[in-house]
Amino acid sequence: MAIISDFEEEEEKQPEAKPSASSSASSSAAAEFSARFDPSSPLGFIEEAFEFVAERSDFLAHEAAERDVVAVLRAVREKQKHKLRQVEREKERERERAKKAKAAAAAAAKEVEEEKKVQGVEMKDAEEEKEEKSGAIVPNKGNGLDLENYSWTQTLQEVTVHVPVPKGTKGRFVVCDIKKNHLKVGLKGQPPVIEVSVRNLSLFNQLALFT
């Protein structure tokens, strides 16, 4: 028992162990860096960072420190360039998608417009075919008719007949005979363009029958 007691006393008298270099390095690594970054003066922030590194380590004392810092700078620049290229490619893809969507919308709108035109033509053809089968006469905007050799319009008070003649035709070559119950229009020496007799029917019906 006495021997053990002496051994314990010797242990108690031994001086405390000094912290190792690794523990000192770990303590230094735990130090926090605090600096305010000003986008208008980034070099000030970088200078403070290097000063912090110089105070807390011997990194800058090594001959390869400058080369290593330049390598890190180049790597960061390349990484930033890569990010910018990715952003630009994504923007380009967005522009292409928008362009294709616009073209597709325009094509769809054109297709709808073409379909409407086709439907309009088909409806018009169907109406004309129906009118041809029924024998109905469609008046023009002047409530008259547009015929091959002449056209005419009417109101409640008057009837206007338009008879085209060859260019340069003199007035003396025109035959225009208007009577109470008779109308004759044409050129001398040629069959009349219009010749109708109005009796119990209206002039509209007379002209229509003449067609």
Side-chain angles (χ1 to χ4, degrees):
M1 294 296 293
I3 294 172
I4 294 174
S5 177
D6 292 340
F7 179 76
E8 291 177 350
E9 290 177 359
E10 289 178 2
E11 283 187 346
E12 291 176 356
K13 292 178 181 180
Q14 288 181 357
E16 295 180 359
K18 294 182 179 181
S20 64
S22 60
S23 63
S24 176
S26 300
S27 176
S28 300
E32 293 184 358
F33 173 67
S34 177
R36 185 173 181 179
F37 177 72
D38 184 2
S40 63
S41 180
L43 289 178
F45 179 84
I46 295 174
E47 184 178 357
E48 290 187 23
F50 280 127
E51 289 178 356
F52 178 83
V53 172
E55 291 175 358
R56 301 305 175 96
S57 72
D58 58 351
F59 171 73
L60 296 180
H62 299 160
E63 293 182 359
E66 183 176 352
R67 182 190 62 199
D68 294 341
V69 170
V70 172
V72 170
L73 175 61
R74 288 177 178 172
V76 172
R77 290 180 62 187
E78 288 299 323
K79 186 176 181 180
Q80 186 65 19
K81 288 181 181 179
H82 180 68
K83 287 183 178 180
L84 292 176
R85 285 193 294 267
Q86 284 184 326
V87 171
E88 187 59 31
R89 283 195 292 268
E90 184 60 29
K91 289 181 179 179
E92 184 63 26
R93 285 193 288 267
E94 286 292 336
R95 287 193 289 268
E96 287 295 326
R97 285 193 289 266
K99 186 177 179 181
K100 290 180 180 179
K102 185 177 180 181
K110 185 177 180 181
E111 185 177 351
V112 171
E113 189 65 24
E114 291 294 332
E115 184 65 22
K116 288 182 179 179
K117 288 182 180 180
V118 171
Q119 291 178 355
V121 172
E122 290 177 352
M123 290 178 63
K124 186 177 180 181
D125 292 342
E127 290 177 358
E128 290 179 354
E129 183 179 357
K130 184 178 179 180
E131 290 170 358
E132 290 177 359
K133 290 180 179 180
S134 63
I137 299 175
V138 181
N140 57 24
K141 292 181 180 181
N143 200 27
L145 288 175
D146 295 324
L147 305 174
E148 183 178 356
N149 297 324
Y150 68 96
S151 64
W152 60 276
T153 60
Q154 69 174 352
T155 64
L156 294 175
Q157 290 79 24
E158 61 184 10
V159 174
T160 302
V161 181
H162 300 272
V163 181
V165 295
K167 188 176 181 180
T169 301
K170 302 295 183 180
R172 62 177 179 271
F173 298 141
V174 177
V175 176
C176 184
D177 187 10
I178 302 176
K179 296 181 180 180
K180 184 177 180 180
N181 297 321
H182 185 79
L183 173 63
K184 181 179 179 181
V185 181
L187 296 176
K188 288 183 179 180
Q190 297 183 18
V193 178
I194 304 173
E195 186 172 12
V196 293
S197 297
V198 182
R199 298 188 184 281
N200 297 326
L201 298 177
S202 66
L203 181 59
F204 171 85
N205 290 330
Q206 290 289 324
L207 291 171
L209 288 172
F210 181 74
T211 62

